[in-house]
Amino acid sequence: MYSCMDGYCSRLINWKCERACRDIPTTRRNVISMAGDKIVSAHCRVGINSRTGEKIWESSDYPNTILISSCTTVEVMSDGELLRGSDCINGTKIPKLFFEEYSNFTHLMNIFHTEGWKHKLDLPDKTSGLPRGTHIPFDTDIKIYNKTMLYINHEGCVNTLQFECDEFYKIHGQDSRNQSSPSRFPCYYSADNPDFVVRRYDLIQTKMTFLMFFTIPAGCFITSCLVLFICSNLVGVRRGGTMAIMSQCCGFSNEDSSVKMKILKSENVDNDD
């Protein structure tokens, strides 16, 4: 962090940043969902996995607790009766006794980080003892790579001259340091290559791009060869030195007929014999 005035900058040491989000209703709510800088608190009756239709949480089963989760996106439907979250993780049911009636963001995140892992919603399976991975699991339980590089695509760059790299860093560059909200986003990975993951991957678009860059040069090459073959058979050089379409190739009459030559013996030639 730097402080600049009249062109002179100095580095600040031992500074602390605190989020200014205050008066978040907690004890009167039983669900808190976070997505980036957006926090939604609500009072809900049941939580359902929209992909499978399975009920994963019900308020009557966990009284006096608050279901807290971190999602990629959180959306409140227009009628206000439905809260929809996508790619939610770190689901925890923390007792309300840890909260006051209103909390600020810093206090909420401190409780979430210190007490959340103790009250996981995604409890281990009774048979295998492993996390189920279906009831808003913790990121530590479903982690694929501990640390890897994030690329915008397989090449790691773009060349569209639309400042995509600046926009990419703005969306994906937050790492939760200094009380900032961490960036959460879907990505694609390869089980055989842990060196990097990519943000953009469209198999259909990749195939279409490959097909386009293959068919256009191949079509130009085949067309060029066909034109050269046709020209070599149709176009010829007349006896006068001009180029023209040869009549025998097109079925026309032979206007440039060959001149028959005959050598006659001259009577005036001396015979030495």
Side-chain angles (χ1 to χ4, degrees):
M1 177 70 71
Y2 292 87
S3 176
C4 299
M5 182 177 294
D6 298 331
Y8 294 93
C9 298
S10 59
R11 185 175 181 179
L12 302 179
I13 302 176
N14 297 327
W15 61 276
K16 184 179 180 181
C17 180
E18 183 174 349
R19 299 290 293 273
C21 187
R22 302 183 178 92
D23 298 333
I24 302 174
T26 51
T27 57
R28 296 184 180 181
R29 305 289 191 269
N30 60 0
V31 171
I32 297 178
S33 294
M34 299 173 288
D37 295 326
K38 185 177 182 180
I39 300 177
V40 178
S41 63
H43 190 279
C44 301
R45 296 184 300 272
V46 65
I48 298 176
N49 188 336
S50 59
R51 185 176 301 172
T52 62
E54 180 186 4
K55 182 175 67 175
I56 60 177
W57 174 85
E58 190 170 2
S59 60
S60 59
D61 296 336
Y62 306 100
N64 298 321
T65 61
I66 301 177
L67 175 62
I68 304 179
S69 62
S70 178
C71 305
T72 302
T73 59
V74 174
E75 180 184 6
V76 180
M77 307 308 292
S78 58
D79 55 2
E81 296 293 328
L82 180 63
L83 176 64
R84 185 186 299 274
S86 62
D87 296 330
C88 296
I89 58 174
N90 296 337
T92 177
K93 46 187 189 305
I94 301 178
K96 291 184 178 181
L97 57 91
F98 289 99
F99 301 93
E100 299 178 356
E101 184 176 359
Y102 294 94
S103 300
N104 58 28
F105 181 83
T106 303
H107 180 65
L108 178 63
M109 293 304 297
N110 287 335
I111 296 177
F112 180 65
H113 290 148
T114 56
E115 300 293 332
W117 61 275
K118 302 177 183 178
H119 308 276
K120 294 181 180 180
L121 179 65
D122 189 64
L123 297 176
D125 184 74
K126 295 180 179 179
T127 304
S128 62
L130 299 176
R132 290 173 292 183
T134 56
H135 292 54
I136 317 181
F138 257 60
D139 53 0
T140 55
D141 296 332
I142 58 174
K143 185 182 297 181
I144 299 175
Y145 299 136
N146 185 34
K147 186 177 181 180
T148 187
M149 298 291 294
L150 173 65
Y151 289 173
I152 189 171
N153 51 27
H154 283 89
E155 291 78 15
C157 63
V158 290
N159 194 23
T160 58
L161 303 179
Q162 296 179 356
F163 302 100
E164 292 187 66
C165 291
D166 295 338
E167 188 68 21
F168 178 82
Y169 182 77
K170 184 186 300 183
I171 297 175
H172 305 85
Q174 299 182 15
D175 57 2
S176 73
R177 289 184 295 182
N178 303 324
Q179 301 296 331
S180 61
S181 57
S183 299
R184 298 197 182 278
F185 46 85
C187 62
Y188 300 89
Y189 73 96
S190 173
D192 300 327
N193 188 1
D195 295 334
F196 66 93
V197 296
V198 296
R199 179 64 179 87
R200 298 180 183 177
Y201 179 72
D202 190 343
L203 184 59
I204 298 178
Q205 181 65 30
T206 303
K207 291 181 178 179
M208 291 297 296
T209 303
F210 172 78
L211 185 63
M212 180 181 65
F213 281 97
F214 172 77
T215 54
I216 293 178
C220 293
F221 176 75
I222 295 174
T223 303
S224 301
C225 293
L226 183 62
V227 170
L228 290 175
F229 176 77
I230 295 174
C231 291
S232 64
N233 285 273
L234 291 182
V235 180
V237 180
R238 295 182 180 275
R239 292 184 180 277
T242 59
M243 297 184 64
I245 297 178
M246 304 303 293
S247 56
Q248 63 270 21
C249 297
C250 302
F252 300 126
S253 59
N254 190 357
E255 298 179 356
D256 190 20
S257 58
S258 59
V259 179
K260 296 181 179 180
M261 299 180 64
K262 184 178 181 180
I263 301 177
L264 301 177
K265 185 177 180 180
S266 176
E267 297 177 353
N268 298 324
V269 176
D270 296 335
N271 190 353
D272 295 337
D273 297 335

